[in-house]
Amino acid sequence: MEQRRLKDMSRSKIFNIILLQMIVIIYTINSIIAKFATKAEPLSLEFFLFYAGEVCVLGVYAICWQQMIKRFDLSVAYANRSMAILWTALWSVLIFKESLSIKQMAGIILVVIGTVVVNLQPGSDTGEGGR
Amino acid sequence: MNIYVLIAVVSVTIAGFSQILLKKGAMRPHKSFLDDYLNAPVITGYALMFTSVLATMFAYRGVRYMTIQIIESLGYILVPVLSYIFFKERFTRNKVIGIIIILAGIAVYNI
């Protein structure tokens, strides 16, 4: 039954979900900058540049998010934000060579499953911009 | 209750209402790209979002990172509740089950 639902998901919905996740990824770039910022000398030029970078990323995220919530139920779009946990974990492993515990991996898997379940909801997006 | 916990809870609530205002702005008929942003609900929504970010940063002074993450996840309940109240977005089976799994995931990750 779930497989049939998956088939029923329109291409535009999948496209919108991918776009939404790209915006969540932009949001998580902040965590990378914040991590680098902690290594900068406080109140140095580098320090201010990192914080300016954070403000810029947040600004881009806010502008894009506003466009995306036209296309989704707010509750569905917001649930998709939880995937930030996956992307942030990915950056910490790939960029900062940190390791994840089994518990953390289990948590991430649950969040991914939960997000997929929410997205399988029929008619949770408007397909087009505006409603 | 620890005052910083209270600030974090208030911050999540403010963030939830900011999302409602942003969605309200997003539901206006599209005129131009700039008009999508230069209207009262969106500007107020952004102002609330900014306030919430500052409040959360302040809350980090007195609350552990893990606690903030758990408190922030209250947003996954608050936003659907507010969406139901303001936009009549229904609580469907998928939404309820999905959000419960997401909350369980965040709890497992952080605790």
Side-chain angles (χ1 to χ4, degrees), chain A residues 7 13 24-25 32 49 53 64 69 71 74-75 87 91 94 98 100 102 111 115 122-125 128:
Chain A
K7 279 183 189 166
K13 180 167 178 175
V24 176
I25 289 172
I32 304 174
L49 283 178
C64 296
I69 54 174
R71 306 181 183 203
L74 180 61
S75 46
W87 305 122
W91 309 144
L94 294 180
E98 292 173 358
L100 292 176
I102 301 281
V111 168
T115 309
S124 56
D125 73 327
E128 309 292 331

Side-chain angles (χ1 to χ4, degrees), chain A residues 62-129:
Chain A
I63 289 168
C64 296
W65 177 257
Q66 187 59 21
Q67 292 299 323
M68 279 320 289
I69 54 174
K70 284 180 181 181
R71 306 181 183 203
F72 284 92
D73 277 0
L74 180 61
S75 46
V76 172
Y78 201 81
N80 269 271
R81 260 179 51 154
S82 63
M83 288 282 282
I85 204 169
L86 167 72
W87 305 122
T88 308
L90 200 65
W91 309 144
S92 55
V93 171
L94 294 180
I95 300 174
F96 301 109
K97 309 291 174 212
E98 292 173 358
S99 55
L100 292 176
S101 67
I102 301 281
K103 199 165 59 75
Q104 284 173 317
M105 280 190 252
I108 292 168
I109 290 168
L110 280 173
V111 168
V112 174
I113 293 171
T115 309
V116 171
V117 170
V118 173
N119 285 332
L120 282 173
Q121 152 90 41
S124 56
D125 73 327
T126 59
E128 309 292 331

Side-chain angles (χ1 to χ4, degrees), chain A residues 1-2 5 27 51 58 61-67 69-76 78-83 85 89 100 103-108 110-111 113-122 124 130-131, chain B residues 12 15-16 19-28 30 33 36-37 42 46 49 53 57 65 72 75-76 79-80 83 87 89-90 92-99 101-111:
Chain A
M1 195 177 162
E2 289 299 329
R5 275 202 185 164
Y27 179 70
Y51 279 95
L58 267 183
Y61 158 75
I63 289 168
C64 296
W65 177 257
Q66 187 59 21
Q67 292 299 323
I69 54 174
K70 284 180 181 181
R71 306 181 183 203
F72 284 92
D73 277 0
L74 180 61
S75 46
V76 172
Y78 201 81
N80 269 271
R81 260 179 51 154
S82 63
M83 288 282 282
I85 204 169
L100 292 176
K103 199 165 59 75
Q104 284 173 317
M105 280 190 252
I108 292 168
L110 280 173
V111 168
I113 293 171
T115 309
V116 171
V117 170
V118 173
N119 285 332
L120 282 173
Q121 152 90 41
S124 56
R131 41 184 294 163
Chain B
V12 178
Q19 291 297 327
I20 295 299
L21 284 166
L22 294 179
K23 177 70 181 176
K24 201 131 192 124
M27 288 164 83
R28 286 158 38 102
H30 177 77
F33 184 76
D36 282 352
Y37 298 92
V42 172
Y46 278 153
M49 195 196 259
V53 169
M57 279 167 66
Y65 178 81
E72 291 247 298
Y76 296 112
V79 170
S83 302
F87 308 122
E89 286 183 13
R90 287 180 308 128
T92 58
R93 195 188 57 170
N94 278 58
K95 264 189 213 174
V96 173
I97 296 174
I99 290 168
I101 299 173
I102 288 171
L103 290 173
I106 293 170
V108 168
Y109 186 93
N110 286 293
I111 294 173

